[in-house]
Each structure stands twice: as structure tokens, then as C-alpha cells.
């Protein structure tokens, strides 16, 4: 009798788990599309007759197949839960008050993005000091939504946020852009000459690097956020301290704008993402964000990306992040136009899967459109 190879068996289990996850994700997306269609047509989401038919069909299929009792029980549980999801998806009451997590304290640019995106809806705002605290509030189910900065037009992607999106269980359901104007703030009596130490989030410093070349005597101290930096200066009331932050933070903490608009790029925007625990199907969604990994061999990335080109989908952004424990291998974060309910787009995603070793769809949502 051939000796069993435990590591080989475990690899096969991992492979089966990956395939199972992909099938369940596909079924979930289809179920959410059904719910979205029903809501758009004014149809009742709950349909007991349909639920009974689905369960009966699956029961019949299981009894006619040579599956083990364990597999049959697992399948019945999956279908039961899927039917519950179909009944409840997108059936939230319109007057519900949402709990929304925000990176940084009041007066931050993230705060502004949150207010802009959720305008007209009822929500309670909760502030967190770190990106990871914000994302774990979603992953653990404490918050309904969260708002995080992910990309700046001057400094590029915010790598920590990309890494956390892959690490934690959450989905992108929307985006908001905010024009960023950084200012040097100080307390009453502070001047460009008196300020020796400046606090800000690293992004605030990166966006204002040209300004600080002219003031080498100012020590730059990285802080939790731009608004938290302003709060720190306001509390200490020290004319040797300054903060790089927005006008809203200056107004909120009663600080003076010592030097206005110090960001190097006048066309300076930050893109914020809205995340949730579960994916949401949005009928007019036109942007997809996914994470992909390919084989570490010649041409593998080109072949995967060619799938988008040959079908005419616009590749809007591509970010690479290193795989921990694998030198020179990367996860690729991709933004591409499209709606997952479009058969052509679905075919492209299937083709990408066939050319990749890992695919995770983070969300299909509506791209930000500037309101005139």
C-alpha cells in the first residue's frame, strides 16, 4: 500500500477550499443581483414559494447523488443560509440610522468625505485613530460602514490601506473624492519664524514637501492624522508648534492659518473608499476593484492584464503590494470599469481567474462623479 503524503493531502485540501470559496462567492453575487432586481422593480424580496422550491430542488439533487451524509448536511446548511440572505439583502428600511467609522477626529478630510457621501442619510459618526482600527470595526461587525483614504492624486496609493483590505474581511461599496488644501496652522502669536516643530499625518507632509524645503528649521513629526495634529497644537498653545491640516481643522480648533495652501500640487485630490462587511449590489455600478496574484514566471502578469484589454474594459489603476514571506512576488490591486451583472464583464473575470493563482473581488460600486 502506498504511503500517504500528509503535506500533499493538505495542499489538495487548500486547493479544494479555494475552489469552494470561489463557487460560494459567485452564488452570493447572483443572489444579491436577484435582490437588487426585485427592489428596483418594487417586488417583495421575501418569496416563500421560491425558497421552498430551491430547498426541494437541492434536496432532490443531494438524494440522487452519491454524497456522504456530512456533505449533504453542509450543503443543506449553505442553501438555507443563502435563502435567508436573498430575503434580507437590500431590504433595509429607508429610515435606518447607520453606524459609520471615520479615520481621524472631527475636522479631518476623511470626516468631510464621510459627510459628503452620506448626506441625506441618517448616521452616527465614530472616530478612530488608525487605519487598522477602522477596518477591524467593520470586520468585527461593530460598524455598518467605514470611510478610509486610499489614494492621493499627488502622492499615489496609501499602501497601508491596500494591505489591510487584503488582510481583513471587508468590501468596497462606494467612493468619494475630496479636494485637499493643506495649510500650516499655529496658535495665536505663532509665526513662520517661531514654529520649530510641525505635526501632521505622513501624507500631509508628502503633499507639502516643496514648502518644507524652504523652511529646513521646521522638524516634521508624523502624527495620527492632520486633524489630530491640529488638536495637539491647540491643546498645547505653544508658538513653537505647528500642524499641517485643512481649514476645517483650523476652524474647529481655533487655530490661525500661518501659511495657506502649502501643498505642492494645486490640483490635489484624495480618493476615499466606503467599506462594509458584506458586498452590496448596486444596479448602476460601473467600477470594480479586485486583488489578483499570478504565477511568478515570464509573461504571467501580461497575460492576465490582456484579458481586460481584449474585451475593451478600461484599466483605471494598478497597485502592487509585496507578498509577505515571498521575495519579489506581489498582489496586484486593480480598478477596472464594468458591472458584474454584465455577462461580458463576468466572462472577463472568469478569464482573469483562469490566468491567476489568487483572485478576490473587493467590490463593484459607482465611481465618484464630481457634482457641478
Amino acid at each position: 500500500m502506498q504511503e500517504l503524503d500528509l503535506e500533499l493531502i493538505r495542499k489538495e485540501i487548500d486547493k479544494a477550499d479555494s475552489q469552494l470559496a470561489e463557487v460560494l462567492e459567485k452564488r452570493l453575487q447572483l443572489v444579491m443581483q436577484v435582490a437588487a432586481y426585485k427592489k428596483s422593480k418594487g417586488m417583495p424580496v421575501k418569496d416563500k414559494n421560491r425558497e421552498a422550491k430551491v430547498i426541494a430542488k437541492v434536496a432532490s439533487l443531494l438524494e440522487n447523488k452519491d454524497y456522504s451524509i456530512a456533505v449533504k448536511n453542509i450543503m443543506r446548511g449553505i442553501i438555507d443560509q443563502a435563502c435567508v440572505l436573498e430575503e434580507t439583502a437590500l431590504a433595509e428600511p429607508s429610515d435606518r440610522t447607520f453606524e459609520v467609522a471615520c479615520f481621524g477626529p472631527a475636522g479631518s478630510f476623511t470626516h468631510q468625505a464621510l459627510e459628503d457621501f452620506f448626506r441625506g442619510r441618517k448616521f452616527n459618526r465614530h472616530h478612530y485613530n488608525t487605519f487598522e482600527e477602522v477596518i477591524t470595526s467593520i470586520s468585527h461587525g461593530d460598524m455598518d460602514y467605514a470611510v478610509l483614504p486610499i489614494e492621493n492624486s499627488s502622492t499615489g496609493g496609501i499602501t497601508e490601506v491596500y494591505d489591510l483590505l487584503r488582510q481583513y474581511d471587508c468590501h468596497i461599496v462606494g467612493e468619494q473624492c475630496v479636494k485637499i488644501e493643506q495649510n500650516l496652522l499655529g496658535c495665536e502669536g505663532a509665526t513662520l519664524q517661531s514654529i520649530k516643530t510641525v505635526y501632521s499625518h505622513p501624507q500631509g507632509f508628502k503633499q507639502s514637501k516643496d514648502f518644507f524645503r524652504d523652511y529646513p528649521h521646521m522638524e516634521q513629526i508624523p502624527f495620527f492624522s492632520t486633524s489630530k495634529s491640529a488638536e495637539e497644537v491647540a491643546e498645547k498653545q505653544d508658538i513653537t508648534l505647528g500642524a499641517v491640516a485643512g481649514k476645517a481643522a483650523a476652524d474647529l480648533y481655533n487655530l490661525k492659518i500661518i501659511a495657506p495652501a502649502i501643498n505642492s500640487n494645486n490640483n490635489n485630490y484624495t480618493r476615499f473608499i466606503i467599506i462594509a462587511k458584506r458586498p452590496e449590489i448596486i444596479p448602476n455600478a460601473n467600477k470594480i476593484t479586485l486583488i489578483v496574484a499570478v504565477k511568478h514566471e515570464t509573461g504571467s502578469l501580461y497575460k492576465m492584464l490582456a484579458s481586460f484589454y481584449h474585451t475593451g474594459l478600461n484599466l483605471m489603476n494598478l497597485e502592487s503590494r509585496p507578498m509577505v514571506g515571498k521575495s519579489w512576488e506581489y498582489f496586484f490591486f486593480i480598478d477596472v470599469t464594468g458591472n458584474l451583472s454584465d455577462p461580458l464583464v463576468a466572462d472577463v473575470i472568469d478569464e482573469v481567474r483562469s490566468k491567476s493563482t489568487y483572485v478576490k473581488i473587493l467590490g463593484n460600486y459607482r465611481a465618484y462623479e464630481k457634482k457641478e
Side-chain angles (χ1 to χ4, degrees):
M1 181 177 177
Q2 186 176 1
E3 185 177 352
L4 296 175
D5 186 330
L6 182 58
E7 288 304 313
L8 181 60
I9 295 171
R10 284 173 173 168
K11 287 181 180 179
E12 289 298 313
I13 289 174
D14 291 341
K15 184 178 178 181
D17 286 344
S18 177
Q19 293 171 342
L20 178 61
E22 289 181 7
V23 171
L24 291 174
E25 178 69 21
K26 186 172 183 179
R27 192 187 195 286
L28 174 62
Q29 294 289 342
L30 293 171
V31 165
M32 296 292 282
Q33 289 176 37
V34 168
Y37 176 86
K38 288 179 178 179
K39 189 156 189 178
S40 68
K41 299 295 183 181
M43 299 166 59
V45 176
K46 186 176 179 65
D47 188 342
K48 288 188 176 182
N49 291 333
R50 166 65 181 168
E51 179 182 339
K53 288 178 181 178
V54 170
I55 294 175
K57 180 178 69 175
V58 173
S60 175
L61 174 66
L62 292 174
E63 293 306 322
N64 293 329
K65 293 286 186 177
D66 189 22
Y67 296 133
S68 67
I69 294 175
V71 168
K72 291 179 180 179
N73 288 337
I74 290 171
M75 283 298 297
R76 288 191 181 98
I78 290 173
I79 298 302
D80 285 345
Q81 289 300 312
C83 288
V84 170
L85 176 61
E86 183 172 348
E87 291 175 3
T88 58
L90 301 181
E92 301 282 3
S94 59
D95 61 347
R96 179 184 169 190
T97 299
F98 296 102
E99 306 301 323
V100 184
C102 177
F103 168 67
S108 67
F109 294 112
T110 310
H111 176 190
Q112 182 181 338
L114 186 156
E115 296 288 340
D116 290 345
F117 186 86
F118 287 95
R119 184 168 288 119
R121 284 182 272 185
K122 296 179 181 179
F123 62 89
N124 295 319
R125 192 176 67 246
H126 303 264
H127 295 276
Y128 295 85
N129 287 330
T130 68
F131 293 143
E132 188 162 17
E133 287 175 342
V134 172
I135 286 190
T136 54
S137 75
I138 292 295
S139 181
H140 295 164
D142 299 327
M143 296 286 117
D144 296 307
Y145 296 103
V147 183
L148 284 168
I150 193 169
E151 180 185 12
N152 179 263
S153 60
S154 301
T155 59
I158 301 174
T159 56
E160 184 183 352
V161 174
Y162 279 111
D163 292 340
L164 291 168
L165 285 173
R166 189 191 60 79
Q167 181 181 349
Y168 287 95
D169 183 23
C170 57
H171 296 267
I172 302 174
V173 298
E175 70 175 12
Q176 182 71 35
C177 290
V178 173
K179 187 170 185 180
I180 307 297
E181 187 174 272
Q182 303 286 10
N183 308 278
L184 179 64
L185 310 182
C187 63
E188 191 65 38
T191 65
L192 284 172
Q193 289 68 42
S194 72
I195 292 175
K196 308 298 181 185
T197 303
V198 181
Y199 299 106
S200 189
H201 188 272
Q203 284 287 317
F205 288 133
K206 287 175 70 175
Q207 293 165 25
S208 311
K209 60 182 180 180
D210 291 345
F211 171 82
F212 284 102
R213 285 199 190 103
D214 296 332
Y215 296 92
H217 68 280
M218 294 183 182
E219 182 185 7
Q220 300 169 42
I221 305 295
F223 216 62
F224 295 111
S225 68
T226 54
S227 53
K228 194 71 176 175
S229 302
E231 183 182 33
E232 182 78 0
V233 172
E235 286 181 357
K236 292 187 175 178
Q237 288 294 305
D238 184 339
I239 64 170
T240 68
L241 301 181
V244 174
K247 184 178 182 301
D251 294 339
L252 181 65
Y253 297 110
N254 196 29
L255 294 175
K256 286 181 15 179
I257 295 180
I258 308 299
I262 65 173
N263 40 277
S264 306
N265 181 2
N266 290 331
N267 193 37
N268 188 30
Y269 285 84
T270 293
R271 181 165 68 95
F272 296 84
I273 53 171
I274 289 79
I275 61 173
K277 173 71 172 175
R278 296 180 178 82
E280 294 183 1
I281 298 301
I282 301 158
N284 61 349
N286 59 3
K287 186 173 183 179
I288 302 166
T289 298
L290 62 158
I291 312 173
V292 177
V294 295
K295 291 181 180 179
H296 191 43
E297 60 186 32
T298 303
S300 59
L301 178 59
Y302 166 79
K303 291 174 184 176
M304 184 273 292
L305 293 176
S307 302
F308 299 112
Y309 170 75
H310 292 308
T311 48
L313 298 185
N314 183 21
L315 194 66
M316 304 171 72
N317 190 30
L318 178 65
E319 294 274 349
S320 64
R321 297 298 302 142
M323 292 184 182
V324 177
K326 294 187 178 182
S327 299
W328 323 126
E329 294 190 45
Y330 302 88
F331 289 106
F332 297 96
F333 289 76
I334 297 172
D335 290 336
V336 63
T337 57
N339 189 306
L340 292 173
S341 64
D342 183 339
L344 174 64
V345 175
D347 288 344
V348 173
I349 299 299
D350 285 342
E351 185 177 337
V352 169
R353 289 187 192 278
S354 70
K355 297 177 180 178
S356 308
T357 58
Y358 173 91
V359 174
K360 178 181 180 180
I361 297 175
L362 286 177
N364 188 193
Y365 50 97
R366 186 72 186 171
Y368 170 76
E369 294 179 354
K370 186 177 180 180
K371 296 178 176 62
E372 299 299 335

